[in-house]
Amino acid sequence: TPNARVKRDQQQEAVVVDGTSFSLNGDNFSYRFHVDNDTGDLLSDHFGGSITGDIPIETVAAVNGWVGEQGRVRREFPDQGRGDFRVPAMRIRQAEGYTVSDLQYQSYTVVQGKPPLAGLPATMGSESDVTTLIVHLYDNYSAVAADLSYSVFPRYDAVVRSVNLTNKGTGNITVEALASLSVDFPYENLDMVSLRGDWAREAHRERRKVEYGIQGFGSSTGYSSHLHNPFLALVDPFATESDGEAWGFSLIYTGSFSVQVEKSSQGFTRALLGLNPSQLSWPLGPGETLSSPECVAVYSNNGIGGMSRRLHRLYRNHLMKSRFATADRPVLLNSWEGLGFDYNQTSIYQLAQEAADLGVKLFVLDDGWFGDKYPRTSDTAGLGDWVPNPQRFPNGLAPAVRNYTAIVTANTSSHLRFGIWVEPEMVNPNSDLYHEHPDWALHAGPYPRTERRNQLVLNVALPEVQEFIIDAVSNILNSADITYVKWDNNRGIHETPSPSTDHAYMLGLYHVFDTLTTRFPNVLWEGCASGGGRFDAGVLQFFPQIWTSDDTDAVNRINIQLGTSLAYPPSAMGSHLSAVPNQQTGRTVPVSFRGHVAMMGGSFGLELDPATTPEEDKAALPGLIALAEKVNPIILTGDMYRLRLPEDSNWPAVLFISEDGSEAVLFYFQTNPNVNHAAPWVRLQGLDPQAMYSVDGNATYSGATLMNIGLQYYFDSDYGSRVVFLERQ
Ligand code: GLA
């Protein structure tokens, strides 16, 4: 390719091509593969620490065994039906019905920068940030082309992969499986780390040994879901938070997905991430292309913490499009846990006023404000009818919002901002919308339309539904001074007209997200799906923050937030201080502990009714709000070090260090009482060993001392917490 800026034998270049050998390089990693001369297949050579020059290869005598040659090689993009008995990265049902493929190398292209991915969220970067290698494969028998894309972000030790499959033949084919990424490691001893959960207990870290055979997880719910997150880490069995090799894989996708890890008879480990084959069966007519979502792969040689920090930085700088991605977030009060559905014009105004009196900057009106003929006063009616409830807002939203935004917030001269909750992908059968357009709800012919939370899912694959949502949300935003939207989604997808509807829905949803966020760039958008049911990189492209969980219990939240941080930046987490006893767990913990946990997320807020908050707690709120505002810039842009995990210790601790290293903030907790046991030291990480740091404006210690000895804090009861500031001298 004449345009390609390819320099041979210079390993520091992001992409180096030598004949038919390909080398991708970052600051601390190399990724190598080559074309097999006999078969035309792409074979993997390396994904790990940086290497240069030739690779030693010992030719092993062929054995005429059951798995044969195909099972003894490491493949870049394993197709189906030619003797590789491991799980394939793609399966195509040809027009004639068979599912054999033979993808052979044709050519390559190198692009400085990164081409967009049609219709899908994707990482972005300039020519100096990223270089893209596209390898063109072709199956001569079926006339199917596969373009494998590898975008290298050298400073993040990241390579971002996707695949375009094109039907260049004349018949109709069906794509039954398509992974975004497939890697074959030459190791047989790896651990896999993933995030599992359910509603109100998302993102629980699961670490297990990769065993022989296929193991995996995914989502068939139509969304990324609370059940398993579209993220996988493969780690050395001895890897810890701060040491050892870790490979992180994160799918930029919000729909049903699949992660499979297979340890095979020859001692290799294959990992695949991509669309869920059980919900694909994508028809591909002549000339049509199916693009896989992107999958990010990062390599870390400083443990699982290093892996997370690479993903956090990449996502903050090269995925999140919002202008608020790294901008200070207003402290908000959300009406949901305080008032639920139970409010009127007066009580909701009072809530806004009391929020402002505490120093809150943004008032968020959650569920319950809309529906005329079918008012949304409970979860049984109204979804789909996006007009203000005339009982609650007799003159519409505009005058009410004018009243709220006339309120001046405590200790400032600025006015309260206003935000609103919507759930536009859904419809209650009790709604005007459903009566008008029953066919817009997802359904499978005559099968009953099963309801969850009394609602059905709109078929967002339909252009008319996309237009309806775009118009409805635009009308709301144009009707009043609204600067924040919480976009909710509270059920999974059940009956669909065809398996491919799932992915078609996602393409429709991304079109809607893209249109609205482009049209309203000054709105701060927050994603939500019954809490963290869609906490994924696909949503983060459009919405810079996501409500992390409906469980606001501060002790549980340490696990959920640190789990979520395995893949996603803390800046993206919505986390609120709520009332006690906690609505989900019944637990009572001190207000400072609740506040300190919540301010580890980028979007700090309150989720309570100040009118019923005990005076003592209420008195603490302005101070906690001020503290949250002080730490917020470091949380939004800094590096996170999970010093001690809540699963391992009674003293979980997290350190955030600002981008320039000049400031740091330590969060230190004690969850259970500490009876007759010394207060442990917490050793810091990531500081400059030579530099001096003042601790809370008092004593000054060297970075080396803070990292090798640490700090010690004592609490005389359970639920103790400290927030400690460090300043580089
Ligand atoms: C979901 C959200 C909550 C709240 C309710 C409103 O459960 O996760 O935060 O908005 O819906 O119905």
Coordinates of all heavy atoms in Angstrom, one line a residue, residues 336 341 366-367 421 453 486 488 490 528 530-531 547 550, ligand 1:
W336 N -35.6 10.0 43.4 CA -36.2 8.6 43.4 C -36.3 8.0 44.8 O -37.4 7.7 45.3 CB -35.4 7.7 42.4 CG -36.0 6.3 42.4 CD1 -35.3 5.2 42.9 CD2 -37.3 5.9 42.0 NE1 -36.1 4.1 42.8 CE2 -37.3 4.5 42.2 CE3 -38.4 6.6 41.5 CZ2 -38.5 3.8 41.9 CZ3 -39.5 5.8 41.2 CH2 -39.6 4.4 41.4
F341 N -42.6 7.7 43.5 CA -43.7 8.1 42.7 C -44.6 9.1 43.4 O -45.6 9.6 42.9 CB -44.6 7.0 42.2 CG -44.0 6.1 41.2 CD1 -43.6 4.8 41.4 CD2 -43.7 6.6 39.9 CE1 -43.0 4.0 40.4 CE2 -43.2 5.8 38.9 CZ -42.8 4.5 39.2
D366 N -36.9 12.4 38.9 CA -36.9 11.0 38.4 C -38.2 10.6 37.9 O -39.1 11.5 37.5 CB -36.3 10.1 39.5 CG -35.6 8.9 39.0 OD1 -36.4 7.9 38.7 OD2 -34.4 8.8 38.9
D367 N -38.5 9.4 38.0 CA -39.8 8.8 37.4 C -41.0 9.5 38.0 O -41.0 10.1 39.1 CB -39.8 7.3 37.8 CG -40.6 6.5 36.9 OD1 -41.4 7.1 36.1 OD2 -40.6 5.3 36.9
W421 N -35.7 12.5 34.2 CA -35.6 11.0 34.0 C -36.5 10.6 32.8 O -37.6 11.1 32.6 CB -36.1 10.3 35.2 CG -36.1 8.8 35.2 CD1 -35.2 7.9 35.6 CD2 -37.2 8.0 34.7 NE1 -35.6 6.6 35.5 CE2 -36.8 6.6 34.9 CE3 -38.5 8.2 34.1 CZ2 -37.7 5.5 34.5 CZ3 -39.3 7.2 33.7 CH2 -38.9 5.8 34.0
R453 N -42.1 -5.6 34.9 CA -42.4 -4.3 35.5 C -43.6 -3.7 34.7 O -43.6 -2.5 34.5 CB -41.2 -3.4 35.5 CG -41.2 -2.4 36.7 CD -40.1 -1.3 36.6 NE -40.1 -0.5 37.8 CZ -39.7 0.7 37.9 NH1 -39.2 1.3 36.8 NH2 -39.7 1.3 39.0
K486 N -31.4 11.5 32.7 CA -31.1 10.2 33.1 C -31.9 9.2 32.2 O -33.1 9.3 32.3 CB -31.5 10.0 34.6 CG -31.3 8.5 35.1 CD -31.7 8.5 36.6 CE -31.7 7.1 37.1 NZ -32.2 7.1 38.5
D488 N -33.1 5.8 31.3 CA -33.3 4.5 32.0 C -33.7 3.4 31.0 O -34.2 3.6 29.9 CB -34.3 4.6 33.1 CG -34.0 3.7 34.3 OD1 -33.3 2.7 34.1 OD2 -34.5 4.0 35.4
N490 N -35.5 -0.6 31.9 CA -35.7 -1.4 33.1 C -36.2 -2.8 32.8 O -36.9 -3.4 33.7 CB -36.7 -0.7 34.0 CG -36.0 0.5 34.8 OD1 -34.9 0.3 35.3 ND2 -36.6 1.6 34.8
C528 N -28.6 4.4 32.5 CA -29.1 3.7 33.6 C -29.9 2.5 33.1 O -30.5 2.6 32.0 CB -30.0 4.5 34.5 SG -30.8 3.7 35.9
S530 N -32.0 -0.1 35.3 CA -32.2 -0.7 36.7 C -30.9 -0.7 37.4 O -30.5 -1.8 37.9 CB -32.8 -2.1 36.6 OG -34.0 -2.2 35.8
G531 N -30.3 0.4 37.5 CA -28.9 0.5 38.0 C -27.9 0.2 36.9 O -28.0 0.7 35.8
W547 N -25.5 5.2 36.0 CA -25.9 4.9 37.4 C -25.4 3.5 37.7 O -25.8 2.5 37.0 CB -27.4 5.1 37.5 CG -28.0 4.8 38.8 CD1 -29.1 4.0 39.0 CD2 -27.6 5.3 40.1 NE1 -29.4 3.9 40.4 CE2 -28.5 4.7 41.1 CE3 -26.6 6.2 40.5 CZ2 -28.4 5.0 42.4 CZ3 -26.5 6.4 41.9 CH2 -27.4 5.9 42.8
D550 N -28.7 0.1 41.6 CA -29.8 0.5 42.5 C -29.5 0.2 43.9 O -30.3 0.7 44.8 CB -31.1 -0.1 42.0 CG -31.8 0.6 40.9 OD1 -31.4 1.7 40.6 OD2 -32.7 0.0 40.3
Ligands
GLA1 C1 -34.9 2.2 37.9 C2 -33.6 3.1 38.2 C3 -33.9 3.9 39.4 C4 -35.1 4.7 39.2 C5 -36.3 3.8 38.9 C6 -37.5 4.7 38.5 O1 -35.0 1.2 38.8 O2 -32.5 2.3 38.3 O3 -32.8 4.7 39.7 O4 -34.9 5.7 38.3 O5 -36.0 3.0 37.8 O6 -38.6 3.9 38.1

